[in-house]
Amino acid sequence: MPKNNVLHISTECYPMAKAGGMADVVGSLPKYLSSFNWDPTVITPRYMLPWFEEHDLEVVFRATLELDKQSLEYNVLRLEDDVLPFEYFCVDIPGLFDRQSIYLNEDGHGFEDEAERNISFQLAVLQWLLDSKSKKKFNVIHCHDHQTGFIPFLIKNAPEYEDLSGIPSFYTIHNGAYNSKYPWGKKGLFPEFDSDLNQFIEWDGEMDGTVAAVRYSDHVNTVSPSYLEDLRTDLPILQLISEEHPEKFSGNLNGIDSDVWNPKTDHLLQYPLKTSVEKFKKENKQAILSGLYHLAGIPLISFIGRFAHQKGGDLLVPSIERTLARFGFVNFYILGSGDRFIEHQVQALRDKYPERIACYVGYNEGLAHQVYGASDFIVMPSRFEPCGLNQMFAMRYGSLVVARKTGGLKDTVIDYKSEGLGISFDYDSIEDLTHALARALHLYRNQELFKELRKKAMKIDFSWTHTAQEYSHIYNRLIEKV
Ligand code: ADP
C-alpha cells in the first residue's frame, strides 16, 4: 500500500534547532509515524547554528517573497546526508533567520522583528508547496504552535494559495501561553484575503495566530489530555470553538524517542547503564558532583529547565534553602537558564552552599542527559505544563519525579500514595514545594520502597508508539473527509 505524506512545519526540530520540548516532539514523532503508513517530511527555518554548518544541504528551490513592498529572496534546502529518519528541508531567509539563536536576542528578549520572521517563514513554505515540480504531494499539513498558526487560515482563504485549499491541516498547541499577536498595521505582510474575515482571526483588537489556527485548522490538539482541559479555561477561543465542534479537538500525550533516550546506549552519558542501577547512579553522580562532598548514600534532587514563571523557577531557590535548613543530607543540581534574576539567585545559592549545590546556568544538552542519569529525583514545580518531557526522561533514567499536578504532569506523575510512582503536589507555593521535597527525602530513607518504585518507573513505556497511532488515526480521518 503506498504511504501517505505528512508535512510537519515548525520553527524547531531536534537535533537541528532546539529551544524546548517542541523540538523533541518534531524530531521524534515523524520517526514513529513511519510505522503507521505515513511518510513524514519536516521543514523548519535555517538558522546560523552549528548543525546546519555540519551537514550537506542542497538548494532545491529559489523564490522571492513580496513582504509589504519589500522583496525577500530565499532558498529552500534539502538535507542530503542520510542522518534523519525522515525527509528534511529548511528555509533560508537571509536577514531574518541567519542568527545564532532561535527566538531570543543577547539580552534574553524576543527578536523585535518576530512578525516579519514568522510570517515570512509561513509564506515561504506555502510558496514552496505551490511549486509542484519540487516534491511529493502532501496529504496532511501539520503545523506546530503559533509561529505557523496562520497557515491553515491562508490555505483556506488567500486566493494565492487556492491550489492548496484541499489539503487538510492539523494544528498542535505545544504551549498556549505563547502567541503571535500582531497589530493590524502588520496586515500588509500578508497576501490578500477578504477583509470580512478579519473578525475571525482577531482577538483583543489584534491579529492572533492561535485564534486563526484554532478556527481554521481541520483538527487541533494539545500535547496531553489534561492540558486540553486546562486550556478550555485559559484560552477562550478554544472553549468557544470546541463547544461548536467538539470532534475537532483532542489531547494526545507526547512521547519520547526511546532510542535517543536509552540509558543503556546513550552516548551523552559518561557511564551508560549496565546491569546495576545503583552503580549507574553512583558513577554518574560522581561525574557531575565532583565538587560536592558526602556523596555516598546522599540523595540528589535536580531541576532541569527554563527559569520561567511557567516552570515555577521562582519557587525553587527559597524551597531549596528551607529544605537545606531542615535536612542536612541532600544535594541539589540545577541546570537551566532564562530569567536573569533566577539565574543570579541560583548562582548565589551555589556560592552559599558550595558543598551541597551544583549548578550550570545555560543550555547544555549533554549535561541534561548526565543529570537525568545521576539524579534520584527530578523536581518540576510547574505552574502549568502542556505536557512536559523531563518527567519521562527522568523516569526512564531512574529518577523519580516530584511534580505539581498540572497539565501533562497530572497525566504522567501519579503520587506513590495513590498507587503511582512519583510525588505530586497541588499548589504553586514555596510551602507546598518544600513539603513535597521533604516527602521525597522521607521516601528516599525507605530504600526498599524507593528502589521498587524506581524499578517500575524505569519500565514505563513512554515511547511514541501509542500516541503516533492516535495521530495516524486522526490524519486518516481528515483525509477521508476530503
Ligand atoms: P519546555 O518545552 O516547556 O521548555 P519540556 O519539558 O517540554 O519543556 O522540554 C524541555 C526540554 O528541554 C527537555 O528535553 C529538557 O531536557 C531540555 N532542557 C531544558 N532546559 C535545558 C538546559 N538548560 N540544558 C539542557 N536541556 C534543557
Side-chain angles (χ1 to χ4, degrees), residues 56 83 120 127 158 196 204 217 223 243 271 283 357 359 429 448 455:
D56 186 12
V83 289
S120 68
Q127 199 161 319
D196 283 351
D204 286 340
S217 301
V223 288
E243 271 169 15
Y271 298 98
E283 287 176 339
I357 307 231
C359 70
S429 67
E448 197 183 329
K455 195 166 158 195

Side-chain angles (χ1 to χ4, degrees), residues 12 14 18-25 174-175 178 223 254 261 303-307 310-311 334-338 360-369 372 380 382 384-393 409:
E12 291 180 46
Y14 180 82
K18 172 167 169 177
M22 183 165 86
D24 291 312
V25 172
H174 290 265
N175 192 333
Y178 297 94
V223 288
N254 278 343
W261 292 93
F303 172 91
I304 301 175
R306 291 182 286 120
F307 295 150
Q310 174 196 341
K311 301 286 177 186
I334 303 172
L335 164 60
S337 59
Y360 179 98
V361 172
Y363 191 94
N364 188 327
E365 186 73 26
L367 186 55
H369 288 239
Y372 290 120
M380 301 182 71
S382 303
F384 68 93
E385 196 58 79
C387 177
L389 295 172
N390 296 20
Q391 76 275 24
M392 305 187 198
F393 302 144
L409 293 175

